[in-house]
Amino acid sequence: MRKKFVAGNWKMFTDRAGAKKLAEAVVAGLAGDNRVEVALCPPFTNLETVAAVLRGTPVALGAQNCHFENEGAFTGEISPLMLLDLGCSHVILGHSERRHKMGEGDALINKKVHAALAAGLKVILCLGETLEDRQGNQTGLVLKKQLEGSLAGLDEAKLERMVLAYEPVWAIGTGHNATPQQAQEAHAFLRGWIAQTHGKPAADALRIQYGGSVKADNAESLLKQPDVDGGLIGGASLKADQFLPIVRAGI
Ligand code: 13P
């Protein structure tokens, strides 16, 4: 049985005081319950603040991006080792906002995935199609291309420290979540591809989160799909009273 995993992607929101309060409220609300794995992913500037709150709790700390080198002349970048040093166990890579707004492609994402895993981080790798892709019946092709590109050169052992997050671009921040059936179909496709390339045991063990307008009132129907193993939550992760019911929907 795959343990459900719900992560909050705070994106470019929260100041230090707000981040501390939000993390404290999540920890208090969970009260040590670890039936669902939970991670919080604040912006870089609040990692240290949130790390202090999460220390000694079952809630993990994740970052939202990293560079593919551990150090060097890369002005403005943050390395995997720096994230580890701050107490991160996870990093989100390949988010659609980085793919589409910052121009990141699969080759770059693949380098980051290798670097993050080599440094000892766990990776939440995001992928998903645009509305145009879906309307043009290209969803399968796009997902396959993203899988091939971002996972190039990764063996089954490396895959054990990865989570996929299926985030259809048209559902992110729009209030239009994928239906449970659409999510299940895409997740089954992703798992099927992994079974072909990395074998059935690796595919069976891999957790695939759904992300895109997950809210307290739609979480349960999404999370009960057989191939939906949790959620990557944007907007609703910024308020503990919206995030906690989503976590509980995974129990
Ligand atoms: P929303 O939950 O705000 O739609 O964002 C989803 C997302 O991008 C999580 O990474």
Side-chain angles (χ1 to χ4, degrees), residues 4 36 216 218-221 223-224 244-251:
K4 294 267 196 283
V36 173
N218 60 24
E220 199 175 321
S221 57
L223 296 196
K224 78 170 187 233
L244 289 164
I246 298 174
V247 175
R248 290 189 197 109
I251 294 174

Side-chain angles (χ1 to χ4, degrees), residues 113-180:
V113 171
H114 278 279
L117 292 174
L121 291 165
K122 294 175 187 158
V123 171
I124 300 174
L125 174 72
C126 304
L127 29 85
E129 81 288 359
T130 64
L131 185 59
E132 201 186 349
D133 297 330
R134 181 161 279 267
Q135 287 174 340
N137 289 322
Q138 303 296 304
T139 299
L141 271 180
V142 169
L143 295 181
K144 184 168 172 286
K145 191 173 154 285
Q146 290 176 343
L147 283 167
E148 279 169 359
S150 335
L151 295 180
L154 290 163
D155 59 17
E156 296 84 70
K158 294 236 168 82
L159 215 57
E160 278 175 20
R161 285 194 292 122
M162 294 196 62
V163 171
L164 295 185
Y166 170 62
E167 298 207 316
V169 180
W170 48 271
I172 295 177
T174 59
H176 301 294
N177 60 289
T179 65

Side-chain angles (χ1 to χ4, degrees), residues 182-203:
Q182 285 171 323
Q184 169 57 27
E185 195 186 336
H187 285 224
F189 175 87
L190 295 170
R191 200 179 304 287
W193 188 89
I194 297 288
Q196 276 179 24
T197 54
H198 293 76
K200 192 165 176 329

